[in-house]
Amino acid sequence: MIAYDIKSALKSLFSDRKFTLINITGFAFAISVCLAISLFLLQEYSYDSYPQNADRIVRIIDSNKNSSNIDYRAKDILLENYPEFENACLVQRETNPTNINIGNKAFSISDIMSVDDQFFKLFSTSFLYGNPSKPFENINSAILTESMSKQLFGTENPIGKEILFERTNLLTITGVIKDFPSNSSISADLLLNAENDDFKFSFSCEKFSDKSTHRWEFRIYALIGADIDHHVLSEKINSKLGSLQPYIDKIGFLPIKNMYLNDSTIGSHSKRGNPELLKLLAAIAFIILILAVVNYINLTLAQQNKRNKTTGIKKSFGASTSDLFVHFIIESVIVSAIAFILSIVLVYALSPLYTSVFGSPIYIDKLLDTSVLLCLLMCILIVGCISGIAPALVLSRSNPNDIIKKTARQGKTQSYFRNALIIFQFTVSIILIISLLVVQKQISFVKNKNPGFSEEHLICLSIPYLPKEEKSKTQSLVNELRNYPFFQNISLTNGVPGKINFQMGSGIENKDLAIPCLIVDTAFISTFQLQIVKGRNLESGDYGKVCMVNESFYNYFDFNNLENKKYDNYRDDGLEIIAVVNDFQYRSSHNKIAPLCLIFAENNNYYHLNIRIAANSLPSAMKTIKEKWEEIMPAYPLKYQFFDDWFDQMYEKEERFAKTIGLFALLAIAISCFGILGLAIFSSEQRTKEIGVRKVNGAKTYEIISMLNRGFSKWIAIAFVIACPIAWYAMNKWLQNFAYKTELSWWIFALAGLIALGIALLTVSFQSWRAATRNPVESLRYE
């Protein structure tokens, strides 16, 4: 019986190839999107699950400061005093690109971590070369990943080879490990021994027991015993911090499985995902699938008149309602199965597009996993059954006598149902169009917002870490460049807007705050074209004694004037605040401009060379920079970035969000158009006699088209009314992520409605034109 039903269903599908092709194509595209999104979500939610004991590994955090920056000495204190900790390791990332030399060859490595021996045990790393039980033989040992080893040494075993790190440390390769998994939020190409003080890259200046000292900031990962409750353990430790007190105000734990998507701490220095985007993508996948199902139902019901005759004949020969019901369900499952197969081909073919949209590759081979295959089979059955239920109920209940006599008519309930489906489809489409317009408007707003300094024609060169005997090269480069008129201003700094790695406590009573600091020279103000709004400019002898603050700093501390105002750093006498500069954007517009301090320090280790280039002189200026760099620093690769490019990069996440919304909005509209096309065909077939009578009585073609399109315009209007408040709420919520945001203008909603209406009318107008231009004699004879 099942075999007969399958054969009969296939025959029915092939009998009307046009509708079958439209159904399968729309289904396949929709399912391919759902599969691509599902593969991406599987990858994102699998982050940091690869270590052997991933469920028991946590990162130590300071809950009071919401910080992952913990002094390295806290690790041993925890292991010695709390048996709940089975193991722990140190991890610190070098945030600046680093230069290494192998013989006469120079290389730049941007992914470097300083770790201890226990790191390799906690994170289940696999060694290709070296001794896993003693990865670092001494403090000058280094470990490479497989890909970096091939880049530096080819296919030969690099054990025992030497590399010169930043022209100062001669390191010996003692191990090569496999590359970190693609779903790891922690990764590096070069791993250094954290026992070496030269590789304690990050520190801050704090006062412990009223004595100034350095705080070496690491990420501490710990393996907690089985069945240990994190909350109970943290309460136990916090009840009596003891020797931990100088390093942690209040201990907390962040499971490593939560790091990628749920890490809001300061200083994590690990890769982070976008949980909001994942939720959005999951919702879009679900909505797209619903639209595809709705589209199938509408197109199937649109064929009702054509299929009524076959259904009536089957009933006349004894087919029961349940037999016909099963037939239509099998038919929809077959369509669903074919669509799923085609969707896999589409995912493979469109994988470059999806990779561009998601910002990371999708791994199609995951579809071959047994569990995933079983899920796909279940989805085929579920989607097929859901898609077929409504048509099966409608088409299987028709009275055979009415069908054969052609007196079967569509009830109001069926009409309302189909109209409701169309309204739903276009409600979703309008919401997506509004969302896309708002996101694009916000991106344009933040990119064109005045950052407080002139970023045009301003370039930043990264100065490498130079050994003592080569420090003068930086000033030599500056002196050479100043000989050229197209370099208008040149300033050396440690830190720049967009990359400030140094902060110090203010030391001001009742409002102590960790303040980001830029270490700058005297040319900084003119190079960045900042304005001094209060106070005085620099004078001779000010170096190392004074600082300037921004307006947010001045307002935050409720200053009325600058008299006797000091910024207390680790120096006992502090720095005199001599001026207030205008607020300028030194981080993204997601955050309000916060207090900032400009410290003028002499003979500092500068890592950034900022150059303002004259307009229309960019090619000559860049050529000169490259030539002078090669002449003075040939052993170091030139790295630079324009500040306007930096502003663009700050909003990559939003641009990807806009790209995602745009792609799926187009797909949702396309699927909705398939549905409305089916309904247009259905409507014109239902009103064939009416159209013929109107034409015989002198109705013009445009009047017939207007009559047929009027109903569709009404549905779009209803969808628009429903979509506007939903889109307003969603986008208003999204804009709250920005400290500086655009307005939800009325024209955005109006434009979205007009776009949806225009697309809908273009879709149905051709079918309406065909119906309106048909010979009325044929129409009446057909009826």
Side-chain angles (χ1 to χ4, degrees):
M1 185 66 181
I2 294 294
Y4 172 79
D5 286 331
I6 293 174
K7 183 178 178 180
S8 177
L10 288 171
K11 186 177 178 180
S12 296
L13 291 172
F14 280 105
S15 66
D16 196 339
R17 294 181 180 85
K18 179 179 69 175
F19 273 98
T20 300
L21 181 62
I22 292 174
N23 259 330
I24 291 176
T25 303
F27 238 148
F29 271 101
I31 293 171
S32 73
V33 171
C34 295
L35 284 179
I37 290 175
S38 298
L39 289 172
F40 178 66
L41 294 179
L42 282 174
Q43 175 72 6
E44 292 291 286
Y45 283 110
S46 70
Y47 260 77
D48 300 316
S49 59
Y50 67 93
Q52 188 174 356
N53 296 301
D55 293 330
R56 297 195 287 131
I57 300 176
V58 298
R59 182 201 285 162
I60 309 297
I61 64 172
D62 191 323
S63 299
N64 268 2
K65 297 179 179 178
N66 189 36
S67 174
S68 290
N69 293 327
I70 308 295
D71 190 86
Y72 74 99
R73 287 163 282 202
K75 171 198 157 185
D76 291 335
I77 296 172
L78 290 171
L79 289 175
E80 290 169 5
N81 294 280
Y82 299 96
E84 292 89 345
F85 294 98
E86 295 182 5
N87 201 354
C89 72
L90 300 174
V91 177
Q92 190 184 74
R93 181 173 296 280
E94 170 56 89
T95 56
N96 295 309
T98 302
N99 300 299
I100 65 168
N101 293 81
I102 303 174
N104 295 324
K105 294 182 179 179
F107 300 88
S108 177
I109 302 179
S110 57
D111 210 354
I112 296 174
M113 284 197 308
S114 175
V115 301
D116 60 11
D117 281 336
Q118 300 308 309
F119 170 84
F120 303 96
K121 294 180 181 178
L122 256 69
F123 287 91
S124 307
T125 53
S126 299
F127 274 78
L128 300 175
Y129 301 106
N131 182 5
S133 60
K134 190 176 175 58
F136 295 119
E137 293 182 0
N138 54 59
I139 62 171
N140 289 318
S141 297
I143 292 174
L144 298 172
T145 58
E146 182 180 10
S147 57
M148 182 52 64
S149 175
K150 288 179 180 178
Q151 182 179 332
L152 298 180
F153 299 102
T155 56
E156 64 178 308
N157 184 344
I159 299 297
K161 301 285 187 181
E162 292 183 337
I163 61 175
L164 185 60
F165 183 85
E166 289 287 14
R167 311 280 291 181
T168 54
N169 295 84
L170 190 63
L171 307 178
T172 303
I173 306 301
T174 58
V176 177
I177 61 173
K178 284 187 176 180
D179 290 346
F180 287 88
S182 59
N183 61 343
S184 174
S185 60
I186 301 173
S187 64
D189 295 320
L190 174 64
L191 294 94
L192 307 175
N193 193 344
E195 298 295 327
N196 189 333
D197 286 345
D198 288 342
F199 303 143
K200 292 181 172 64
F201 300 116
S202 177
F203 71 91
S204 63
C205 301
E206 294 191 8
K207 291 184 178 181
F208 296 153
S209 303
D210 296 326
K211 184 178 180 181
S212 296
T213 185
H214 289 308
R215 172 189 173 97
W216 301 100
E217 297 173 336
F218 278 80
R219 264 52 63 202
I220 300 178
Y221 294 90
L223 178 64
I224 296 180
D227 301 323
I228 299 295
D229 188 293
H230 297 172
H231 300 290
V232 173
L233 180 57
S234 61
E235 288 177 4
K236 175 183 175 181
I237 298 172
N238 288 323
S239 64
K240 192 176 180 181
L241 282 173
S243 54
L244 276 174
Q245 184 66 53
Y247 313 121
I248 300 177
D249 289 344
K250 184 180 180 182
I251 197 169
F253 303 112
L254 177 67
I256 65 162
K257 283 190 172 182
N258 294 344
M259 286 195 313
Y260 183 67
L261 295 176
N262 298 293
D263 181 9
S264 60
T265 61
I266 299 168
S268 63
H269 291 171
S270 58
K271 191 190 298 183
R272 292 186 184 182
N274 186 349
E276 288 77 20
L277 179 61
L278 299 189
K279 292 174 185 175
L280 173 70
L281 287 173
I284 285 176
F286 181 69
I287 290 170
I288 291 290
L289 191 58
I290 291 176
L291 291 178
V293 170
V294 168
N295 189 52
Y296 176 86
I297 293 171
N298 268 344
L299 287 174
T300 304
L301 291 179
Q303 302 174 73
Q304 181 171 354
N305 283 351
K306 293 181 180 180
R307 306 192 67 170
N308 274 343
K309 184 176 181 180
T310 305
T311 304
I313 292 171
K314 284 184 178 182
K315 279 200 169 188
S316 298
F317 279 93
S320 65
T321 300
S322 60
D323 292 334
L324 293 171
F325 183 88
V326 170
H327 168 83
F328 289 117
I329 291 293
I330 290 175
E331 190 176 300
S332 66
V333 170
I334 290 172
V335 170
S336 175
I338 297 172
F340 263 92
I341 294 169
L342 286 177
S343 70
I344 294 173
V345 177
L346 284 171
V347 169
Y348 183 80
L350 298 175
S351 58
L353 173 64
Y354 291 129
T355 297
S356 172
V357 171
F358 298 143
S360 67
I362 57 173
Y363 298 93
I364 304 173
D365 56 342
K366 286 184 181 292
L367 293 174
L368 300 176
D369 292 350
T370 304
S371 57
V372 176
L373 282 174
L374 289 173
C375 286
L376 284 178
L377 290 174
M378 289 296 295
C379 287
I380 289 172
L381 289 173
I382 293 170
V383 171
C385 290
I386 292 174
S387 303
I389 285 175
L393 287 172
V394 173
L395 298 176
S396 64
R397 288 181 175 180
S398 300
N399 187 305
N401 293 325
D402 292 339
I403 292 171
I404 293 171
K405 293 177 182 178
K406 297 186 179 181
T407 58
R409 292 290 180 262
Q410 305 301 315
K412 287 187 177 181
T413 302
Q414 295 174 25
S415 178
Y416 291 152
F417 178 67
R418 286 192 306 273
N419 295 346
L421 295 180
I422 290 295
I423 290 169
F424 169 76
Q425 287 181 312
F426 273 91
T427 297
V428 172
S429 300
I430 293 170
I431 289 172
L432 289 174
I433 294 170
I434 292 171
S435 300
L436 176 62
L437 293 174
V438 172
V439 172
Q440 292 287 12
K441 188 168 183 275
Q442 173 64 15
I443 293 172
S444 176
F445 174 79
V446 294
K447 280 188 174 182
N448 294 305
K449 175 182 173 292
N450 182 8
F453 68 93
S454 177
E455 79 277 16
E456 291 185 358
H457 310 300
L458 186 60
I459 186 175
C460 175
L461 276 59
S462 295
I463 302 297
Y465 179 84
L466 299 172
K468 190 175 181 180
E469 61 273 14
E470 296 185 15
K471 289 287 185 185
S472 59
K473 288 185 175 180
T474 302
Q475 192 58 50
S476 298
L477 177 63
V478 172
N479 293 338
E480 285 290 330
L481 295 178
R482 281 178 175 158
N483 292 326
Y484 294 86
F486 40 70
F487 297 123
Q488 294 180 333
N489 297 98
I490 300 176
S491 171
L492 285 165
T493 63
N494 187 347
V496 288
K499 193 169 187 180
I500 300 178
N501 301 318
F502 184 63
Q503 60 182 29
M504 294 190 296
S506 63
I508 298 175
E509 290 184 9
N510 301 323
K511 277 197 173 184
D512 195 12
L513 182 72
I515 306 294
C517 299
L518 285 172
I519 315 298
V520 302
D521 65 4
T522 55
F524 178 79
I525 302 295
S526 56
T527 301
F528 282 78
Q529 297 181 356
L530 300 179
Q531 303 296 319
I532 296 177
V533 296
K534 288 182 186 296
R536 64 175 177 83
N537 212 328
L538 287 167
E539 298 174 354
S540 60
D542 277 344
Y543 254 138
K545 300 177 183 178
V546 303
C547 67
M548 295 184 185
V549 298
N550 65 352
E551 292 173 289
S552 292
F553 185 109
Y554 186 85
N555 296 328
Y556 178 82
F557 291 105
D558 298 324
F559 289 169
N560 294 319
N561 53 64
L562 295 177
E563 188 177 349
N564 298 323
K565 298 297 187 300
K566 288 192 174 184
Y567 174 66
D568 291 331
N569 63 351
Y570 61 92
R571 295 164 56 98
D572 292 334
D573 51 353
L575 296 170
E576 181 187 355
I577 301 174
I578 62 167
V580 178
V581 298
N582 64 285
D583 277 340
F584 61 92
Q585 204 77 41
Y586 63 88
R587 51 183 181 175
S588 79
S589 293
H590 291 88
N591 308 290
K592 285 189 175 181
I593 298 175
L596 176 73
C597 182
L598 307 178
I599 298 176
F600 298 87
E602 199 170 16
N603 298 324
N604 195 275
N605 290 323
Y606 295 117
Y607 293 105
H608 302 95
L609 177 57
N610 308 285
I611 306 172
R612 182 166 296 282
I613 300 171
N616 304 320
S617 301
L618 187 58
S620 302
M622 294 308 302
K623 181 181 178 182
T624 303
I625 289 172
K626 291 173 183 177
E627 289 175 351
K628 294 302 176 183
W629 185 279
E630 279 294 321
E631 179 184 321
I632 298 172
M633 299 186 185
Y636 304 96
L638 172 63
K639 297 176 184 177
Y640 62 87
Q641 184 177 34
F642 285 90
F643 277 91
D644 49 5
D645 291 338
W646 166 68
F647 274 98
D648 290 341
Q649 289 176 6
M650 279 198 303
Y651 305 104
E652 281 183 354
K653 185 173 76 172
E654 281 69 35
E655 290 183 329
R656 184 168 294 118
F657 183 77
K659 191 184 293 185
T660 303
I661 291 286
L663 174 66
F664 297 124
L666 287 174
L667 185 60
I669 291 169
I671 294 173
S672 299
C673 288
F674 275 118
I676 204 170
L677 175 62
L679 203 56
I681 294 170
F682 171 80
S683 178
S684 61
E685 287 179 351
Q686 286 292 99
R687 304 176 73 172
T688 301
K689 184 176 180 179
E690 179 188 349
I691 293 169
V693 171
R694 286 178 179 270
K695 291 204 72 177
V696 168
N697 286 305
K700 305 294 185 184
T701 299
Y702 74 87
E703 292 175 333
I704 302 295
I705 293 174
S706 175
M707 176 193 73
L708 292 173
N709 287 358
R710 197 177 301 125
F712 298 104
S713 302
K714 178 178 65 178
W715 300 331
I716 304 302
I718 295 171
F720 176 75
V721 171
I722 297 171
C724 283
I726 297 173
W728 181 89
Y729 175 80
M731 286 295 95
N732 188 57
K733 194 96 172 168
W734 180 75
L735 286 172
Q736 289 176 9
N737 294 319
F738 295 85
Y740 306 96
K741 49 184 175 284
T742 187
E743 295 179 352
L744 289 172
S745 305
W746 65 268
W747 63 263
I748 293 176
F749 298 87
L751 179 59
L754 288 174
I755 291 172
L757 179 62
I759 292 171
L761 292 180
L762 284 174
T763 303
V764 302
S765 289
F766 176 70
Q767 181 61 32
S768 300
W769 177 82
R770 286 186 61 192
T773 56
R774 190 174 185 178
N775 190 325
V777 175
E778 292 181 9
S779 300
L780 294 173
R781 184 175 60 189
Y782 174 78
E783 288 295 322

